[in-house]
Amino acid sequence: MVSEAVNNSTRDEVSPPNYLLWGLLVLAVGALGFIFYDGLELMVKWWERDEYSHGYMIPLVAFYLIWQKQEELPAAVIKGSWTGVALLVVGLFVFLMGELSSIYTVIQYAFLLSLFALILSFVGWSGVRVIWVALAYLVFMIPLPSFIYNNLSSELQLISSSLGVFVIRLFDISVYLEGNVIDLGSYQLQVVEACSGLRYLFPLMSFGFLIAYLFKGPIWQKVVLFLSTIPITILMNSFRIGVIGVTVEYWGIEMAEGFLHDFEGWVIFMGCLGVLAIEMWCFHYFSTTKLKFWDRIDLDGPASNIALADIAINWKNQRPFVACLVLLLGAVATMPMLETREDKTLDRQSFNQFPLYYKGWRGRETALEENVLATLKLTDYITANYRLSDARLPVDFYVAYYDSQRKGASIHSPRSCIPGGGWVMTGLEEREIDGVVNSDGAPLKVNRALIRKGNSAQIVYYWFEQRGRNITNEYMAKWYMFWDSMTLNRTDGALLRVVVPVPDIADIAASEQLGLRFIEDFYPLMSDYIPGKEQ
């Protein structure tokens, strides 16, 4: 009787369903979408990359997982949490950093943080505990940052190439591996970025996370199911590469091209799902449960649908949410100021005037293709091959200048682009070049790397020039861009890259000396083409 009285007392304290609050929640979500629109618009272009073509399913599956838990929500939603307000402030600040630094991945993760904060402010920690899996699952719809993606792709290409060659040798076929190039003698197969296995890994990991959650078993089995998607992908993709090598050896190069190549990819992905199913069946077979195998996968919906009226909310308990709504509406009101913010107009010479004949160097200017220019969105650039009259090696010089790095127009770091072109980067280090000083009077700092692709090798020097700063770290470049955007209303900057071929690794010093001489001769000219700190 006492317990019943307490329950009745609690029910009396809860106000009747407040549909106005539900309407304001919809308004808050709409405001969130408006604020993060640019980042979300870029994110949902999943069709442009096969690795993320499953992205459209992620929100739908998240809604399904919440729908499964709807019977538990009424009892869990007691009052909102003020922690949600604090997290929303953090999310909006991270959004500002991403917006000013033009890093859209930061904006996309800031959206997830802000969405979580908004939900937390409305349903509280007890409500979040019921639907946290659905919220966590949304992480799989955000593409990896380019530099992580390209480095991961490069590593997987090498691993898949090595294991693929192992498979080919099992068929007693003579094969030679150089980097990610498989030499069969009559044919050479290059394991390019598309064959790295990432187009299997990302959707399989998202599916593995989902199936691990739905699988009724111990926590350790769920963890193993999810983590096993990584080795399954690598091994199956390597097997695919090996099979392609074997079929090319016996039936020709057409086995590695066109429909057959794509069809093999679908077969391998279905094989990955099959291996995951076998793994679950093994867990079931060696368990003591009396459930049938399919009954251990929780696909059941709720016994009855819960209306919004069954979740009692009121103004007093949802005050944190009201505070979040005010924050979001305030952010919406300030968005026009951010949208109309323009960088200063800076005086500089165009690279059309950059000398092609200078200190014994003879240059031949080249041009970037239209699709590359559309991707880079740069303001001005020069790309040219220079030679000394007494040197047999050319020096490739490239400068990309941006007068504004907003709305997706930002410098593409070689650390991301080089692996994307099939090159393997080794020996990356920062160096000071003696005899060459930057705008601060200190020795010029550059990144130096040796890159390889097949039998080819090159020395690469690259660095960033931003508002009088000589920068070698990509993250510091983004931070300074954010800071200067706030304090100076400037986001201009440039990437400088010098590449020298290395015909013979044993004589790499000759290539090094040629590249360093080029930098020593031409770097003093850059102040006319890249604005410094005084402007």
Side-chain angles (χ1 to χ4, degrees):
M1 295 294 292
V2 174
S3 176
E4 183 178 351
V6 171
N7 288 338
N8 289 335
S9 176
T10 303
R11 291 176 184 272
D12 292 339
E13 293 176 2
V14 178
S15 302
N18 193 323
Y19 291 105
L20 177 58
L21 274 174
W22 286 110
L24 291 179
L25 178 61
V26 174
L27 175 63
V29 173
L32 203 63
F34 177 81
I35 295 169
F36 290 88
Y37 179 80
D38 290 339
L40 296 178
E41 181 185 30
L42 188 64
M43 181 187 73
V44 299
K45 293 181 179 179
W46 292 303
W47 69 82
E48 296 181 352
R49 301 178 67 174
D50 292 336
E51 297 86 352
Y52 302 106
S53 57
H54 65 289
Y56 299 101
M57 300 298 297
I58 301 297
L60 299 177
V61 173
F63 279 121
Y64 171 78
L65 296 178
I66 294 176
W67 175 74
Q68 274 192 317
K69 295 291 185 179
Q70 62 176 299
E71 288 184 317
E72 302 177 33
L73 279 175
V77 178
I78 301 174
K79 62 178 180 179
S81 172
W82 285 102
T83 305
V85 181
L87 289 177
L88 181 60
V89 172
V90 174
L92 292 176
F93 177 74
V94 174
F95 157 77
L96 182 63
M97 292 186 64
E99 183 76 13
L100 296 180
S101 62
S102 296
I103 307 178
Y104 278 83
T105 303
V106 172
I107 296 175
Q108 291 155 9
Y109 279 110
F111 168 76
L112 283 190
L113 177 60
S114 300
L115 179 62
F116 174 80
L118 183 63
I119 293 174
L120 178 60
S121 71
F122 194 85
V123 303
W125 285 110
S126 58
V128 165
R129 289 189 189 99
V130 175
I131 61 173
W132 74 270
V133 173
L135 299 178
Y137 193 63
L138 294 175
V139 172
F140 290 100
M141 70 181 180
I142 299 181
L144 287 177
S146 295
F147 72 94
I148 295 179
Y149 175 90
N150 290 328
N151 290 334
L152 181 59
S153 177
S154 178
E155 291 297 323
L156 288 179
Q157 283 173 250
L158 293 175
I159 295 173
S160 298
S161 299
S162 299
L163 295 177
V165 165
F166 174 78
V167 173
I168 295 173
R169 287 172 177 160
L170 291 178
F171 290 83
D172 199 27
I173 297 175
S174 178
V175 61
Y176 176 72
L177 178 64
E178 176 66 29
N180 59 352
V181 177
I182 300 174
D183 191 346
L184 295 167
S186 55
Y187 300 105
Q188 283 190 337
L189 303 177
Q190 182 177 350
V191 181
V192 296
E193 179 182 331
C195 296
S196 66
L198 290 181
R199 62 175 57 184
Y200 310 137
L201 180 61
F202 295 152
L204 192 66
M205 285 187 70
S206 65
F207 182 78
F209 180 88
L210 175 63
I211 205 68
Y213 167 69
L214 297 175
F215 184 72
K216 298 176 182 178
I219 292 295
W220 71 268
Q221 291 183 357
K222 294 174 177 287
V223 173
V224 170
L225 277 173
F226 173 60
L227 295 181
S228 66
T229 58
I230 299 174
I232 288 174
T233 301
I234 294 174
L235 292 174
M236 292 295 287
N237 186 59
S238 302
F239 175 74
R240 170 178 177 249
I241 291 172
V243 169
I244 290 176
V246 172
T247 55
V248 166
E249 174 71 12
Y250 289 108
W251 292 290
I253 194 64
E254 61 272 9
M255 302 302 297
E257 300 173 345
F259 171 77
L260 285 175
H261 182 273
D262 296 335
F263 179 72
E264 289 166 354
W266 277 105
V267 171
I268 292 299
F269 181 71
M270 297 306 295
C272 290
L273 296 180
V275 173
L276 203 60
I278 292 173
E279 189 177 353
M280 288 191 295
W281 182 85
C282 289
F283 285 146
H284 172 74
Y285 183 80
F286 291 103
S287 68
T288 58
T289 181
K290 295 181 180 180
L291 292 174
K292 294 181 180 180
F293 174 68
W294 290 111
D295 292 336
R296 296 193 65 182
I297 303 175
D298 185 12
L299 297 175
D300 298 332
S304 59
N305 290 323
I306 305 299
L308 296 182
D310 296 311
I311 302 179
I313 55 175
N314 57 51
W315 292 98
K316 179 180 179 181
N317 290 339
Q318 267 62 45
R319 282 181 295 184
F321 161 71
V322 175
C324 284
L325 178 61
V326 172
L327 280 173
L328 290 173
L329 294 179
V332 169
T334 59
M335 285 296 291
M337 298 174 56
L338 196 61
E339 294 287 340
T340 57
R341 186 181 173 90
E342 296 182 359
D343 290 329
K344 291 181 179 179
T345 301
L346 305 171
D347 294 328
R348 54 174 293 275
Q349 291 187 31
S350 169
F351 279 114
N352 289 332
Q353 305 174 38
F354 197 82
L356 295 177
Y357 300 90
Y358 185 71
K359 288 191 175 183
W361 293 91
R362 297 170 59 89
R364 181 175 61 85
E365 192 169 2
T366 57
L368 297 177
E369 297 179 358
E370 289 298 326
N371 62 328
V372 176
L373 290 173
T375 300
L376 296 177
K377 300 178 182 179
L378 44 74
T379 303
D380 191 13
Y381 77 99
I382 181 172
T383 175
N385 290 312
Y386 284 85
R387 286 180 182 268
L388 282 172
S389 57
D390 59 346
R392 61 187 180 89
L393 296 177
V395 175
D396 180 72
F397 183 49
Y398 170 68
V399 182
Y401 172 74
Y402 294 78
D403 60 9
S404 175
Q405 298 185 70
R406 303 186 192 272
K407 298 302 178 188
S410 62
I411 293 173
H412 291 234
S413 170
R415 193 170 183 178
S416 299
C417 298
I418 288 174
W423 292 88
V424 178
M425 181 180 292
T426 61
L428 179 63
E429 60 181 356
E430 181 185 286
R431 287 191 179 180
E432 292 185 353
I433 301 182
D434 296 331
V436 183
V437 296
N438 58 29
S439 59
D440 293 328
L444 178 69
K445 294 181 179 180
V446 303
N447 290 308
R448 180 268 188 197
L450 175 66
I451 63 174
R452 294 173 177 267
K453 181 166 68 172
N455 296 321
S456 302
Q458 297 178 338
I459 290 290
V460 178
Y461 302 95
Y462 74 90
W463 68 99
F464 308 96
E465 295 284 332
Q466 291 187 185
R467 300 164 294 284
R469 298 187 183 92
N470 166 214
I471 306 171
T472 57
N473 185 284
E474 291 88 345
Y475 303 104
M476 290 303 299
K478 291 296 185 181
W479 165 253
Y480 282 127
M481 187 170 68
F482 163 73
W483 179 254
D484 290 343
S485 177
M486 292 285 292
T487 59
L488 303 176
N489 199 26
R490 288 180 59 181
T491 60
D492 55 291
L495 162 71
L496 293 85
R497 187 191 69 197
V498 175
V499 181
V500 187
V502 182
D504 184 3
I505 292 295
D507 193 25
I508 192 173
S511 298
E512 294 254 26
Q513 292 173 3
L514 188 64
L516 294 176
R517 177 175 174 180
F518 181 88
I519 295 173
E520 183 177 351
D521 287 344
F522 280 89
Y523 180 73
L525 303 178
M526 301 314 301
S527 60
D528 293 332
Y529 302 88
I530 303 175
K533 66 177 69 175
E534 301 301 328
Q535 296 195 30

